Amino acid sequence: MLDTPEAVVEALRENHERPHGLARTVTAEELVEAAEAFDKPDVLVTALLELMTAYEFTGEQRKSPVAFARILKLWDTAPDSFSPYEAHQVFWRFKWVTTSLLQVPEMPLATVGGWIDQMRERYEAADHGVQPVAAMRYHLAHHTGTGVPDAYDLWATRPRTELSDCEACETRHHAWYRVTTGDDATALDIWRPVLDGEQVCSEEPQMSQARALLPLLRTGRTDEARSHHLTGYRKVRGNTGMQAEVGLHLEFCALSRNEGRGLEILAENRPLFEATGAPLDRLGFLTGAEVLLARLVEDGHDATPVAGPPGRDWTAAELLAHVRSEAEPLAAAFDARNGTSAVGDRRRERLARRPLLDEPLPLGLRAAAAVRATTPAATTAPAAARTAIPDDYATLVREARRMSRDGHPGDSRLWTRIAELRAAATEPHDDTLGPEDLLRAELAEHEAQKHWLDDRHTQGTAELASAIAHFERLSMPWHALSARARTLAWSTAPSPRDDEPAPDRAATRTALDELLRAVDKQLAETPFDAEPLGEAEAVFGTDLPAERALAYLSVRYSAAFAAYQELLAVLGRAAQAEQPGSGAEEAPADDLDAATERFEDAVGVLRAEATRLGYPHQSANARQFVADMMARRGAMPDAERELRAALQDLEAADRPWRRPRPSALLAQILLAQDRPQEAVELLHSAIADAVAHDDTSFALAPTYMLLGHASSHLGDHNGAVRHLSEAAARFDQAGDPGEATDARLQLAMVLGRSGRNADAVAVLESVLADEAASGADERALAQARLTLGRGLRDLEEYLPAAEELLRLADTVAGWPEEDRAVLTLVAAEAATTLALADRWDAADTAYARAVAAHAEAPNPPIVCLMMREFARLTMQGRDTEGTEETEGVDAALEHLTRADAVLDALPPGEEGFAVWYERGEIHYRRARVLAEAGRFEEALPEAEAAIATHEGGGEEGELARAEAVRVAALIEGNGLERTHEAIARLTTTAARCRNSGHPEAAQVLDALRQEFLSR
């Protein structure tokens, strides 16, 4: 009941603690009405200031000047009703009113200027400096586009006062001025203290992060742009007071070619379409949305469903028309009010911008499938690296055949174009290219290869069967044998996408042996340099011997591949049998010996024949098989030697386009030998070769993932973030959500380790937004949720963190008995986080759950930590109103008694962790609790016990011991007034810290010692 002034004041205090939003604003309006019922101007002043704050931070600037006018009237009639803080706010909020009036196009400029004049008069009368007045004149000039340089100089050259905007906000305005002059580099230099987190306030760094996105892209600082988008957007998401900033993030998504991400942001901010209290900021939001929607429509996605104003469904084209119908007249209204075209010009400039990157900037976030499908997929290689497609049809076919003979990956694009032209029936068959059936056979082989690379082996085999039939009719035995060998080889590696039984390797082996005998017979009957057997072979002219030799080596390669797959299967069965509880039978030793012998024979023949015939690239293939087997058996130096020889073979063959795969494999082996720098160089080379030679079949996504892993090992966190983000985006494009999620989980770990916790949180939120679609297993998602909860807690977003941890606790509660200790951990962390969020009832429930879980599945360190934290937080912030102070102390001490009991209950010899540390920390916390309660005589022995216990930890206990000494000295010097004893204690321990290699701890102790000496 708001029936007394005291009740209104208490309600105002409670409302002030609520987050900004509609609920807080409505309550503030109600409290002003309640305050008016009393003859208490001081209560009304407080209520009006609270109302004005609510308007300012929820995008209701239209209403702010009315509230301030009432405040000024009270200032003039009842100045004694203002506290010193409120008196300061009267002058401070003149700035709010000016910017609020600029937000409203119906407000005449004369009125805005009048407020600034009144602000100057009142500042001078109160003997305040007028730099804030100059700032308001600059904002007016910037808005209208008139006299901007002079107004800026007048403001920027004046000294700051106590009523100036905070340093962070002024830095933003200084930097933005440079952006408007086209000097991005200087702007970013000015922005550095804000973007680096050195200058912060309630609006910063999120406002600057949004404004810096395009300057960062334009100057090539894409890593920073990615980071500021991830962290900055989280802070403005759904905030009606940050409409313009949301619009800037939408624009960034469009210009960094992340349209799918932009549509997700639209969906998360639908209420902003209805927020009309700050028209200028609304125009900023609408313009950002228009930039995004225009990009989609231009790219042909006009019918894509998008999220617009609530109440109906929208397509991109419909929403674009709607946004334009609102934004254009709104911009015109500002220009009409201002008598200039500045607002409209700025809008038109934004709409004219084109994407700043050739390919999407990988953000590390997972876009929803429906959204991702609307966004043009990134090309595997830049356009400049794509294989040129001849316009002349006959030249096109001959070039495709030449590239196929050379094994050049760019042939794929040419064969695809040939197939398109044949399907469209735009090109009649040219007899100079040989029989039409030859072209059909070649196209079938190309289709088969595409199916194979897409893990659709059954369809690939069907295409090869068609090719075989054509080759046999055309009297091309070598080509037919090659296709038959590939069919058999593919059957040894069943595809996860094909619903087919496990391969019958014995039957395949028999068929391959028979095929190899046919090859020997064919070699005797038709040497490679024999005359053509028909019209089809004759078309190859002088290249026929090479065609036959390569077909023969293809058979040998298929035999080696099949032997490799068989040996892998035997090794896999052996590894599975070694797993406890697998139930798998171990493969007989004879099987392993036989498979190994067949493998060595097959790769040996392939290498020898490739060398004899002068095709070292096939020798390189044989070496890759051997190196892979060596690596699997742990012989890393031998594997490295084989791969380096393979790369030399490719150099001799003059086939650089075949380097990516052995380079990537060699990088993995170097990583296994802890040589990340060499691995990084090889992986970059592999990617560069694949892109340069248009190898669309090379697995770029896992290569980028490996590159991210290697970069992380080198300590190159920026590189790791860049490469893991790229890997995730490419896995998305390939339709592999499980691998994409794994890349993002690794990305989040790298971000967390490098201190970019807010970035990691954004990535993890993306992963967990739709768990079912992420493709990750339950345990991976559980780890992600645990990391997210901890990350949110580190960001002091305690309630969201607790929600994540509680959700995770419910999940792991159903895990098998051997995993029950995980529930203990999660419940304990949830309890502590709820306490930090000041949700004590829920915290007590989670605490009890953790204790119960610990009884079933002990996790002593985490439970002891929870109990110590509850002792600390109980003393620090728990609401003990209505209770005696000693009850809070007793409650804190009870938590520590429980922690002692946890350690006392440990079975002898089953500790498995540093018990000395846990006991020492319990003594340390008890000393702190007793000292805070003023019970210094009891606190000192506990601090002494902490020192002695940490002493038992040896070198590992030095820092904890030093901290316990510091607290003991504080108790002695401040609580017990034994300054000399405290100084002696600090002197001895500081020297000890220096001698043990802990100079920073010594500095802390020396500083306290000096403080005591100064007394």
Side-chain angles (χ1 to χ4, degrees):
M1 292 290 291
L2 302 175
D3 51 0
T4 66
E6 291 74 19
V8 172
V9 171
E10 178 59 24
L12 285 167
R13 185 191 67 78
E14 292 177 359
N15 196 48
H16 186 74
E17 297 299 320
R18 294 190 177 100
H20 289 293
L22 181 60
R24 175 170 171 174
T25 302
V26 170
T27 301
E29 290 174 337
E30 293 171 350
L31 291 174
V32 168
E33 292 181 10
E36 289 172 333
F38 308 104
D39 186 19
K40 297 282 291 183
D42 56 334
V43 177
L44 183 57
V45 165
T46 303
L48 285 168
L49 287 169
E50 170 62 26
L51 177 60
M52 195 175 176
T53 300
Y55 287 152
E56 179 71 16
F57 290 100
T58 53
E60 290 287 350
Q61 279 90 339
R62 283 182 182 273
K63 302 177 180 179
S64 189
V66 176
F68 188 64
R70 297 183 64 186
I71 292 170
L72 275 185
K73 185 175 181 181
L74 287 167
W75 174 254
D76 291 334
T77 58
D80 293 341
S81 301
F82 290 74
S83 69
Y85 167 78
E86 290 169 337
H88 177 82
Q89 287 297 302
V90 170
F91 293 96
W92 183 270
R93 297 194 184 193
F94 264 103
K95 299 181 293 182
W96 289 11
V97 173
T98 301
T99 54
S100 294
L101 293 174
L102 286 177
Q103 283 275 348
V104 184
E106 300 87 39
M107 189 63 62
L109 281 188
T111 302
V112 181
W115 271 102
I116 297 176
D117 291 341
Q118 184 181 167
M119 176 183 177
R120 182 184 183 94
E121 291 171 4
R122 289 184 178 264
Y123 269 49
E124 289 177 340
D127 202 23
H128 290 305
V130 294
Q131 189 259 16
V133 179
M136 293 305 103
R137 295 200 188 281
Y138 163 67
H139 294 321
L140 175 60
H142 171 76
H143 174 71
T144 61
T146 55
V148 179
D150 290 342
Y152 176 79
D153 288 341
L154 187 62
W155 162 55
T157 56
R158 289 179 179 270
R160 285 173 48 78
T161 75
E162 64 175 4
L163 288 168
S164 296
D165 282 344
C166 75
E167 282 189 290
C169 287
E170 286 208 339
T171 296
R172 177 181 75 246
H173 295 311
H174 285 300
W176 192 242
Y177 174 74
R178 296 298 176 184
V179 171
T180 61
T181 65
D183 190 355
D184 287 336
T186 299
L188 292 170
D189 286 342
I190 293 170
W191 249 322
R192 187 195 55 75
V194 175
L195 297 179
D196 288 354
E198 297 171 14
Q199 296 176 358
V200 296
C201 69
S202 62
E203 296 178 335
E204 289 296 352
Q206 57 266 35
M207 292 184 77
S208 288
Q209 286 175 314
R211 283 160 176 74
L213 291 172
L214 294 190
L216 287 167
L217 282 186
R218 287 193 292 256
T219 54
R221 294 162 64 171
T222 53
D223 290 341
E224 294 168 78
R226 176 195 300 111
S227 177
H228 290 308
H229 170 65
L230 293 180
T231 59
Y233 173 67
R234 287 190 73 253
K235 296 176 182 177
V236 303
R237 179 175 53 199
N239 187 342
T240 55
M242 292 281 178
Q243 292 179 84
E245 285 67 33
V246 174
L248 290 169
H249 282 279
L250 289 170
E251 181 180 12
F252 164 78
C253 290
L255 301 186
S256 65
R257 297 189 182 272
N258 280 283
E259 292 90 343
R261 167 68 170 164
L263 291 185
E264 287 189 334
I265 291 176
L266 267 187
E268 290 176 334
N269 292 276
R270 292 188 77 177
L272 297 191
F273 282 103
E274 299 179 314
T276 59
L280 188 60
D281 286 347
R282 175 176 174 76
L283 178 61
F285 168 70
L286 293 174
T287 303
E290 189 173 350
V291 172
L292 172 68
L293 295 165
R295 289 288 314 138
L296 287 168
V297 171
E298 288 172 21
D299 285 339
H301 301 294
D302 48 302
T304 298
V306 298
R312 58 159 287 189
D313 295 331
W314 298 87
T315 66
E318 291 168 343
L319 185 57
L320 176 60
H322 173 78
V323 167
R324 279 179 176 163
S325 71
E326 290 202 7
E328 285 181 354
L330 187 53
F334 278 109
D335 285 344
R337 187 271 300 270
N338 298 338
T340 68
S341 62
V343 174
D345 288 344
R346 283 193 284 269
R347 175 173 175 273
R348 285 183 285 274
E349 179 186 352
R350 291 177 68 182
L351 295 175
R353 289 172 180 156
R354 313 308 298 164
L356 296 167
L357 304 174
D358 292 330
E359 298 187 29
L361 172 66
L363 299 177
L365 303 176
R366 188 180 66 82
V371 174
R372 188 172 60 249
T374 71
T375 306
T379 57
T380 305
R386 293 187 185 183
T387 302
I389 299 177
D391 294 329
D392 178 70
Y393 181 70
T395 304
L396 172 63
V397 173
R398 292 189 183 99
E399 182 65 6
R401 286 172 175 168
R402 182 194 67 77
M403 295 182 78
S404 294
R405 188 165 52 252
D406 290 345
H408 195 296
D411 75 327
S412 176
R413 206 176 296 280
L414 273 57
W415 287 117
T416 298
R417 180 58 179 159
I418 294 169
E420 290 171 351
L421 291 172
R422 286 180 59 81
T426 58
E427 293 290 343
H429 182 68
D430 186 339
D431 290 338
T432 64
L433 299 173
E436 191 168 4
D437 269 359
L438 173 58
L439 197 53
R440 292 191 181 102
E442 291 166 323
L443 288 169
E445 282 191 302
H446 170 65
E447 284 299 310
Q449 184 70 12
K450 287 201 300 186
H451 287 310
W452 162 255
L453 293 172
D454 199 31
D455 282 336
R456 302 188 187 280
H457 300 179
T458 301
Q459 291 152 282
T461 298
E463 290 289 347
L464 279 180
S466 173
I468 291 167
H470 287 306
F471 286 137
E472 289 179 340
R473 282 196 298 273
L474 293 166
S475 297
M476 300 179 70
W478 283 115
H479 290 76
L481 287 168
S482 172
R484 286 187 184 280
R486 272 174 281 158
T487 301
L488 292 170
W490 289 358
S491 71
T492 63
S495 162
R497 298 194 184 191
D498 285 338
D499 185 14
E500 60 183 23
D504 185 347
R505 290 192 171 84
T508 301
R509 189 164 58 248
T510 300
L512 266 174
D513 289 344
E514 182 180 341
L515 181 68
L516 291 173
R517 285 192 290 273
V519 165
D520 291 338
K521 181 174 180 292
Q522 189 65 47
L523 190 57
E525 295 176 354
T526 313
F528 303 146
D529 57 356
E531 290 299 314
L533 298 179
E535 180 186 358
E537 282 199 332
V539 77
F540 294 109
T542 58
D543 292 325
L544 179 58
E547 283 280 336
R548 288 171 170 173
L550 288 169
Y552 164 73
L553 288 174
S554 172
V555 173
R556 290 298 180 186
Y557 175 86
S558 295
F561 179 84
Y564 167 79
Q565 290 292 336
E566 184 175 0
L567 182 53
L568 276 184
V570 174
L571 292 173
R573 289 200 302 274
Q576 187 178 7
E578 293 176 1
Q579 296 296 320
S582 68
E585 294 184 7
E586 186 172 356
D590 290 347
D591 286 358
L592 179 58
D593 291 342
T596 301
E597 184 179 354
R598 280 191 293 274
F599 171 74
E600 291 174 349
D601 285 346
V603 296
V605 171
L606 174 60
R607 181 185 297 180
E609 289 296 271
T611 302
R612 179 178 70 84
L613 295 170
Y615 291 100
H617 72 277
Q618 283 288 16
S619 177
N621 288 336
R623 291 184 186 279
Q624 287 179 71
F625 283 132
V626 172
D628 184 69
M629 281 302 166
M630 288 175 169
R632 290 174 186 275
R633 291 172 167 171
M636 297 302 174
D638 293 337
E640 179 187 349
R641 185 178 61 254
E642 284 292 327
L643 287 169
R644 292 198 183 280
L647 288 169
Q648 289 175 358
D649 286 342
L650 294 176
E651 188 71 24
D654 194 23
R655 297 196 178 195
W657 49 84
R658 301 186 75 97
R659 288 190 303 230
R661 288 163 181 80
S663 295
L665 182 56
L666 178 55
Q668 293 182 59
I669 288 165
L670 291 171
L671 266 179
Q673 298 178 77
D674 195 24
R675 293 155 67 184
Q677 181 62 57
E678 296 171 78
V680 164
E681 293 168 2
L682 274 167
L683 290 167
H684 277 300
S685 295
I687 292 170
D689 281 335
V691 169
H693 299 291
D694 199 10
D695 189 353
T696 58
S697 68
F698 180 66
L700 281 172
T703 306
Y704 274 112
M705 195 159 173
L706 191 61
L707 184 53
H709 184 62
S711 299
S712 177
H713 273 268
L714 274 178
D716 178 11
H717 296 303
N718 284 337
V721 168
R722 188 182 316 121
H723 303 316
L724 290 170
S725 299
E726 181 75 33
R730 290 183 179 275
F731 280 127
D732 281 340
Q733 293 161 17
D736 196 339
E739 291 292 340
T741 295
D742 188 30
R744 291 188 172 96
L745 295 180
Q746 289 193 39
L747 171 61
M749 285 191 290
V750 170
L751 289 167
R753 285 199 301 268
S754 61
R756 293 156 64 178
N757 193 35
D759 297 50
V761 164
V763 171
L764 290 168
E765 285 178 336
S766 168
V767 169
L768 294 166
D770 184 1
E771 296 180 32
S774 70
D777 62 37
E778 182 183 39
R779 292 178 184 275
L781 291 173
Q783 181 61 53
R785 195 171 297 284
L786 177 61
T787 307
L788 174 58
R790 289 170 170 172
L792 289 167
R793 186 175 61 208
D794 290 343
L795 293 176
E796 299 184 3
E797 298 180 30
Y798 298 126
L799 198 54
E803 290 170 354
E804 294 294 342
L805 293 169
L806 290 172
R807 189 178 296 116
L808 178 58
D810 291 340
T811 297
V812 302
W815 282 10
E817 184 175 345
E818 59 267 23
D819 295 322
R820 298 291 289 175
V822 178
L823 175 59
T824 309
L825 180 148
V826 176
E829 293 211 22
T832 303
T833 307
L834 285 163
L836 287 165
D838 203 26
R839 297 291 197 273
W840 282 98
D841 290 342
D844 290 340
T845 301
Y847 184 104
R849 186 181 193 181
V851 171
H854 172 72
E856 293 184 21
N859 195 335
I862 194 66
V863 171
C864 286
L865 175 60
M866 174 188 73
M867 292 170 172
R868 294 199 309 272
E869 281 294 280
F870 264 66
R872 179 180 71 85
L873 294 169
T874 296
M875 294 298 294
Q876 187 180 79
R878 190 164 192 171
D879 185 1
T880 56
E881 185 177 346
T883 65
E884 293 293 330
E885 181 181 346
T886 55
E887 290 184 24
V889 177
D890 290 344
L893 293 173
E894 176 60 26
H895 289 301
L896 297 173
T897 300
R898 292 175 185 172
D900 277 330
V902 168
L903 298 181
D904 291 342
L906 288 172
E910 295 187 16
E911 297 167 354
F913 64 99
V915 177
W916 62 266
Y917 175 80
E918 300 298 331
R919 288 200 182 278
E921 288 301 288
I922 294 169
H923 286 301
Y924 170 81
R925 182 52 55 194
R926 189 177 284 115
R928 295 285 302 261
V929 169
L930 291 167
E932 289 171 33
R935 293 159 59 174
F936 302 115
E937 292 288 357
E938 298 171 74
L940 185 57
E942 288 295 330
E944 297 279 10
I947 295 169
T949 307
H950 286 309
E951 181 89 33
E955 185 177 337
E956 293 182 1
E958 280 299 319
L959 287 177
R961 181 186 183 280
E963 170 59 15
V965 167
R966 186 186 71 85
V967 169
L970 286 168
I971 293 169
E972 279 183 320
N974 292 339
L976 299 174
E977 298 184 356
R978 301 174 188 170
T979 308
H980 294 295
E981 290 87 341
I983 291 171
R985 185 190 299 276
L986 291 167
T987 302
T988 302
T989 306
R992 174 172 173 157
C993 286
R994 278 188 289 272
N995 292 334
S996 61
H998 298 291
E1000 292 181 359
Q1003 289 175 5
V1004 171
L1005 298 175
D1006 282 336
L1008 181 58
R1009 174 179 173 273
Q1010 193 60 42
E1011 180 184 332
F1012 284 140
L1013 285 170
S1014 67
R1015 298 179 185 179

